[in-house]
Amino acid sequence: MEAYRQEIIVGAVVIYMIFCVITGLWAMRRTKNSSDFFIAGRGLGPIVVSLALFSSTLSGFGFVGGPGLVYSIGVSSFWMIVISSTGYALGFFLVAKRIRMIADVRNCISLPDVVAARYNSEAVRFLIAVTIVLGVMGYLATQILAMAVVMQAILSGTQMFADIGLVSCVVISSAVLIFYCVTGGIIASVYTDVVQGAIMMIAGTLILLTAMSVFDGGMQEATSIILADDSETIMPFGAAGIMASLGWFFVFGLGLAGQPHLVTKMMMNKKISDNRSILPMSLFGYVMAALLWVSIGVIMRAAVIDGVIPPLALPDDAASIFLSVFTNPLLAGIVFAGLFAAIMSTSDAFLNIGTAAIIHDIPKAIRGHSVQNELFWARVVTVILAIVAASFALYSHFQDATLVAILGAFGWATFAASIFPVLAIGLNWKGATALGAVSAIVSALLINFIVQLAGIVLPYGILGGLIAFVVSLLLFVGVSLVTKKPELDADMEAVLNI
Amino acid sequence: MRSKLIVVIFATTVMMAGLLMAIVLADSVPNGAGLAHPEFNGMQAGGDGGARLKHIGSLAFAFQSLLLVLIVCLAALGVSEQRRSTELWAYLGGTLLFSLFVWYQMYSSHQEFLATGTTDYFMGFPVATAWQVYGTWLGAIPLIILYTVGFRKFIFTEEDERKYEQLLEEIKARSEQ
């Protein structure tokens, strides 16, 4: 079996991609209007929503960047994942019920639709839509690039594709992504998410078992090796220190309820009461899949320190080298399919919300109505958005990484800082005002942009995103408290009373 | 009358901002955010743990404690005002105490290691890290139980569902007129 390692890995990835294409074709027959395309007609069951929710949370970053971070900075990066239980809980307490109700009452098909209804403000809709578009471009470009790099690494190990270029890999991987997103919209996305989520859970569990067998003394031997080398790395705050760790706890914990690609999925379930089972199921799936992040990182750092394997050229090589050195080919095949699943499940969610912002929300905020024939334009813009993001990805790789890096700053932390107060607090506090919301969004965008562009490094590893989040929270509540309490429409008043 | 809860949330955030400011202005140390590993390229090392907590340890402890208060207050905000009963507050108070206990155990176990240089292990990790990995993950379980088991009591009661259905019917009737 070892002799066919590369072929088995390629086979697993090809089977997975064929599945995505077939799902797209199947979902196309169920997609009859823009509501189906963007929010699956609000008719999904709890298992589908649970798997879609957690698989969209854990992107390619979780499978490649996560183990790389543990290799590089140790336990500091654990804070991004151990907070998931609190993050999911807050997301459901603060957002899940009311976003679903407002979507129903006002027939909303996007997150900007919901905030526009809540604040009765097109300015808030516009700012949230622009934030989403900027964030989506950065996220999508990095995801597509990651997908192409991994595909090139896999294919170049075979005789037939030994010389395959990165551009070809971007084209192949983007084509599959575009195909199922365009044909089946969010219905294809969530049903591929179901399989993607299942693969990620299986991969996480099997990798943990493999990782524990690398050293005779299991995980404890690995952590002892790291402790003897540099104790702080394996202590609770890791190499990056206490403030970086607590900053990630804050931004990833509270911020989950501000991620547009996640909260949009909370609008898609058939019944509000399904939320009580969606929460534990999503969290369980996430924890199982995240085992991979923790276990590979710890084992690879210990293995390098102990001289079991040579030092890695780059921290992000941790996962791929672990798979090639320590796992059997079948497991490697499943995990690589899982990696593509993680990247694609996040990418399709971003394509969907980015398209909604462009064809539905920005025109509505400017002209008062969205484009005619939304379903047709949704498909056209999905293709254009993916092509532009893929072009950004290639430009960044071959010419200049600055543009994608700037757009990348509009990632998790910016969404968290700009959307969390407006959505998560705003849906639960009648005193929240449009001016408070505008202040929060603008301050979050400005602080993140300035910290990124000026290359400001704060002491003790304090994140710029943490500062932006705290300032945005303060401005949102503070400005709302000092401005006149808004007169809510009767239906919004009723929803906020329930 | 303004909800007192939002004022508590605001006050907590103000205090956290003040602590952040104090940490930014505190004396810095070279390894505050880690150093390059002396031997392996691509790895960071933490170095002297005691030195990097010397000026900010207690401020950071207070910051995280306030964050845990903020989390519980936000969870309460997610429950309708009329359902915020004494029972709910007692439960949330217990949740907060549990989270603070986990945080204290994590921080104090780390301090103990810094003082003695030795540690026990629990399920593969040094004790302080085990509190972080398992304790923090499990620290939110009371909130998840509250949401799932208490869904019909605190989050979306039968009465809420009836009101919601009625609202939808009224909207539908209005749009048909």
Side-chain angles (χ1 to χ4, degrees), chain A residues 34 38 109 354-364 367 369-379 381-382:
Chain A
S34 58
F38 289 122
I109 61 168
T355 301
I358 291 169
I359 67 148
H360 181 78
D361 295 302
I362 293 177
K364 235 177 167 179
R367 304 184 309 173
H369 59 87
S370 63
V371 298
Q372 299 287 317
N373 197 355
E374 273 192 336
L375 182 57
F376 169 76
W377 285 109
R379 288 182 161 135
V381 170
T382 300

Side-chain angles (χ1 to χ4, degrees), chain B residues 103 112 126 171 176:
Chain B
W103 168 231
E112 198 179 315
I171 290 167
E176 282 170 357

Side-chain angles (χ1 to χ4, degrees), chain A residues 440-488:
Chain A
I441 300 167
V442 172
S443 67
L445 295 179
L446 278 178
I447 294 172
N448 275 296
F449 234 143
I450 290 168
V451 169
Q452 176 77 15
L453 282 175
I456 296 170
V457 179
L458 295 160
Y460 290 104
I462 294 173
L463 311 171
L466 173 63
I467 303 284
F469 204 158
V470 171
V471 170
S472 151
L473 268 175
L474 283 175
L475 283 175
F476 178 73
V477 181
V479 171
S480 294
L481 282 173
V482 297
T483 43
K484 191 178 164 229
K485 195 178 171 187
E487 291 287 327
L488 293 169

Side-chain angles (χ1 to χ4, degrees), chain A residues 320-360:
Chain A
S320 58
I321 293 183
F322 177 90
L323 292 173
S324 62
V325 174
F326 297 119
T327 64
N328 82 33
L330 269 180
L331 176 56
I334 292 172
V335 176
F336 272 110
L339 169 60
F340 276 92
I343 296 173
M344 285 188 164
S345 58
T346 308
S347 304
D348 62 35
F350 277 115
L351 264 181
N352 193 268
I353 59 167
T355 301
I358 291 169
I359 67 148
H360 181 78

Side-chain angles (χ1 to χ4, degrees), chain A residues 72 223 229-230 234 238 460 481, chain B residues 2 27 37 44 46 52 124 129:
Chain A
S72 173
T223 55
D229 175 66
D230 174 60
I234 201 67
Y460 290 104
L481 282 173
Chain B
R2 272 175 187 150
D27 289 344
H37 194 284
Q44 293 278 309
R52 58 190 194 156
T129 311

Side-chain angles (χ1 to χ4, degrees), chain A residues 264-276:
Chain A
T264 303
K265 293 217 158 68
M266 293 175 177
M267 294 160 66
M268 296 176 190
N269 47 322
K270 199 170 185 176
K271 292 191 292 183
I272 291 175
S273 55
D274 286 342
N275 281 332
R276 64 179 156 180

Side-chain angles (χ1 to χ4, degrees), chain A residues 92-283:
Chain A
F92 275 80
F93 267 96
L94 292 166
V95 179
K97 179 180 75 175
R98 293 214 167 92
I99 199 172
R100 178 65 183 73
M101 286 200 282
I102 294 177
D104 226 356
V105 167
R106 292 289 182 96
N107 204 19
C108 300
I109 61 168
S110 67
L111 174 62
D113 257 355
V114 171
V115 292
R118 162 62 186 86
Y119 294 97
N120 200 13
S121 165
E122 292 304 321
V124 178
R125 179 204 295 274
F126 181 77
L127 284 171
I128 291 281
V130 169
T131 306
I132 288 173
V133 172
L134 288 170
V136 163
M137 289 308 299
Y139 258 117
L140 260 182
T142 49
Q143 297 290 319
I144 288 172
L145 189 60
M147 196 157 52
V149 168
V150 175
M151 180 175 274
Q152 190 184 29
I154 295 172
L155 290 178
S156 60
T158 62
Q159 260 189 334
M160 191 185 293
F161 300 106
D163 299 320
I164 193 161
L166 191 72
V167 177
S168 307
C169 293
V170 166
V171 171
I172 296 168
S173 51
S174 302
V176 174
L177 178 68
I178 290 171
F179 182 83
Y180 80 80
C181 286
V182 167
T183 50
I186 198 69
I187 296 178
S189 295
V190 292
Y191 281 98
T192 48
D193 283 352
V194 170
V195 173
Q196 288 159 354
I199 293 172
M200 286 154 69
M201 283 164 64
I202 293 167
T205 312
L206 293 177
I207 284 293
L208 176 70
L209 296 175
T210 307
M212 288 175 73
S213 66
V214 169
F215 290 98
D216 292 339
M219 191 60 83
Q220 184 169 325
E221 186 178 341
T223 55
S224 305
I225 291 166
I226 298 172
L227 186 90
D229 175 66
D230 174 60
S231 59
E232 277 296 285
T233 307
I234 201 67
M235 280 292 153
F237 310 117
I242 192 166
M243 286 316 295
S245 300
L246 300 185
W248 281 324
F249 187 92
F250 192 117
V251 170
F252 278 79
L254 268 58
L256 190 138
Q259 302 305 307
H261 59 303
L262 304 182
V263 293
T264 303
K265 293 217 158 68
M266 293 175 177
M267 294 160 66
M268 296 176 190
N269 47 322
K270 199 170 185 176
K271 292 191 292 183
I272 291 175
S273 55
D274 286 342
N275 281 332
R276 64 179 156 180
S277 53
I278 294 172
L279 168 58
M281 283 195 287
S282 301
L283 180 62

